[in-house]
């Protein structure tokens, strides 16, 4: 198994061993020989700062400064400001020797100063070093791919995480510390108890002070007593399940970041598989929740048996029943959730994410899956904090998480309740709330915010609703049907904005004159008294009843 090694990065000292440097000698900056050479650049002008990115080997004949010490110092200062790796000067047409003041300045800056005592072909040097760098990068990528495949293969074994961490350590020659949220820390290689305790304490302090400041999944890098420490979170679905700490006695290379990222991804996939299996098990254990919501369990004693010792505590907590309807956007990757297996798999993944996010916001969730709807009975473990605000945070996190998977969520929330035997009522409210999603064009609906719809849902006689709508809105509906106009929508917007013509015109995207014409027609059809309180209230209720009866018509 090929492992990453330090030869993938070229140092100044290694460059001096290349064939075209056999006649060169180092005049100053011996302490900088371990600087990395990332590229070769020829600079024969005096102003060039914008041309450099750092890590370049600079070749020059001295044409920019000749024997002028002041110009050389300007040239040297720009090199230092841009963190170049070394400066190579060719003796010949512009320079026959290097003044001691130049050598002293380079030595003071610890910048390697390499002298070619006679003319050399810069083109040969650049081709040689660039080819070497590119070949080494290509080899590094090949070895990274091999190690990534090995990581993936290892996670399929029972000791997958330990094997991945062992390979990570042997590949980077760093101290590897793995700290899961639920489990014992692991050290590769093993450390003395006192030293390991110090590193765990450091990690704990780092996580406590940086929990909200760092983007999830990105590594943090610190210097601790001359050592470089990289902290890489491991997790998925917006939650960190573990942290990997890499402790190096040197500056980390790009490849070490890449291999650490690959290792953390493999471990995250392993943990996700295990959590998926656990979620399936939990899901099978809470199938009885569906019976509870549909009144197939009417005896509290049955629930006590199903839940066990946690029944008393849960039965006294306030809860909401939440309905989460999920559907993939139709793309090449997700043509449709047509088959039952696809729906169940997507539902369990959603259940896994939902459980994690609800728990983060101090809810205890019981979940069950029904076709493409996930039902959550969310018990509030901190009732002194506003539940609705935390629920909205839960829904926002879920929506953002699932948007990455091209999944659309529609959520209905029943009113708060206490006692398991009241769950059916909250479930019905969640169903009613989610049924209004097309009508109200909203992805999250709380039943207690539906206003008059709450009453309309309880009118079982739909014929009565139709009669009410015809009585108050019949002329408007008929006119729209005949003329293809939008008087009903105009009336709704006008009434919803307390009769403000300016706001109504803005929301309808029409000019004031068009609104005046529509309002005149409405008054003609409904009568001049349609804005009186009782008539206005009846019209607004009638519009809501129309929306309930015709959810496919957008107003």
């Amino acid at each position: 198994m090929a492992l990453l090694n330090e030869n993938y990065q070229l140092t100044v000292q290694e460059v001096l061993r290349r064939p075209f440097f056999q006649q060169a000698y180092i005049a100053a900056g011996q302490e900088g020989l371990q600087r990395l050479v990332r590229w070769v650049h020829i600079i024969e002008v005096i102003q060039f700062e914008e041309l450099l990115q750092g890590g370049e080997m600079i070749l020059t004949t001295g044409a920019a400064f000749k024997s002028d010490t002041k110009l050389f110092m300007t040239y040297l200062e720009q090199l230092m400001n841009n963190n170049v790796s070394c400066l190579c000067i060719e003796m010949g047409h512009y320079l026959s020797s290097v003044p001691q003041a130049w050598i002293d300045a380079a030595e003071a800056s610890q910048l390697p100063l390499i002298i070619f005592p006679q003319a050399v072909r810069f083109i040969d040097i650049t081709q040689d070093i660039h080819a070497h760098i590119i070949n080494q990068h290509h080899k590094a990528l090949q070895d990274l791919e091999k190690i990534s495949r090995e990581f993936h293969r290892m996670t399929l074994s029972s000791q997958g995480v330990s094997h991945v961490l062992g390979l990570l350590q042997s590949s980077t020659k760093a101290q590897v510390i793995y700290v899961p949220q639920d489990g014992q820390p692991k050290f590769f290689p093993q450390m003395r108890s006192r030293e390991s305790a110090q590193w765990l304490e450091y990690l704990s302090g780092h996580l406590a002070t940086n929990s909200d400041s760092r983007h999830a999944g990105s590594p943090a890098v610190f210097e601790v007593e001359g050592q470089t420490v990289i902290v890489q979170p491991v997790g998925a679905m917006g939650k960190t399940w573990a942290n990997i700490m890499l402790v190096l006695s040197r500056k980390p290379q790009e490849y070490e970041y890449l291999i650490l990222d690959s290792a953390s991804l493999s471990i995250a996939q392993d943990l996700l598989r295990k959590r998926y299996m656990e979620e399936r098990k939990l899901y099978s254990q809470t199938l009885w929740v569906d019976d509870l919501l549909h009144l197939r369990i009417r005896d509290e004693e049955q629930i006590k048996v199903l839940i066990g010792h946690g029944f008393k505590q849960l039965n006294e907590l306030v809860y909401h029943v939440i309905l989460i309807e999920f559907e993939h956007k139709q793309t090449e990757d997700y043509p449709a959730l047509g088959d039952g297996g696809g729906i169940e798999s997507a539902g369990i993944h959603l259940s896994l994410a939902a459980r994690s996010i609800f728990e983060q916001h101090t809810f205890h969730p019981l979940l069950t899956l029904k076709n493409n709807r996930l039902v959550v009975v969310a018990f509030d473990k901190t009732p002194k904090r506003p539940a609705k605000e935390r629920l909205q945070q839960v829904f926002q996190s879920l929506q953002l998480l699932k948007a990455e998977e091209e999944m659309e969520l529609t959520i209905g929330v029943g009113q708060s309740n206490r006692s398991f035997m009241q769950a059916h009522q909250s479930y019905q409210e969640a169903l009613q709330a989610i049924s209004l999603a097309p009508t109200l064009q909203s992805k999250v609906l709380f039943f207690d915010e539906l206003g008059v719809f709450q009453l309309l849902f309880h009118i079982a006689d739909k014929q009565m609703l139709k009669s009410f709508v015809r009585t108050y809105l019949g002329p408007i509906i008929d006119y729209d049907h005949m003329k293809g106009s939008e008087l009903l929508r105009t009336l709704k917007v006008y009434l919803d904005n307390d009769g403000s013509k300016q706001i109504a015109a803005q929301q309808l995207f029409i000019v004031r004159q068009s609104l005046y014409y529509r309002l005149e027609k409405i008054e003609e059809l409904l009568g001049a008294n349609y804005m009186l309180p009782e008539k206005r209230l009846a019209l607004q209720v009638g519009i809501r009843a129309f929306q309930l009866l015709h959810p496919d018509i957008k107003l």
Side-chain angles (χ1 to χ4, degrees), residues 284-293 297 303 306-307 366 368 420:
S284 65
Q285 290 174 349
T286 55
L287 289 175
W288 59 269
V289 174
D290 187 64
D291 292 333
L292 175 69
L293 299 176
I297 295 179
I303 304 174
L306 291 164
I307 293 180
L366 295 177
T368 188
F420 277 98

Side-chain angles (χ1 to χ4, degrees), residues 134-149:
I134 291 170
N135 289 338
Q136 289 300 87
H137 282 189
H138 180 66
K139 188 175 187 307
L141 291 174
Q142 287 180 319
D143 287 352
L144 275 168
E145 185 179 355
K146 291 177 184 177
I147 293 176
S148 296
R149 286 200 300 267

Side-chain angles (χ1 to χ4, degrees), residues 22 108 173 185 187 203 220 237 305 312 314 324 338 358 429 499 509 522:
Q22 288 184 359
K173 302 299 187 290
F187 301 87
L203 177 61
M237 298 184 298
V305 172
K312 186 176 186 300
L314 288 179
I324 305 175
F358 272 102
E429 292 169 350
F509 301 104
I522 289 171

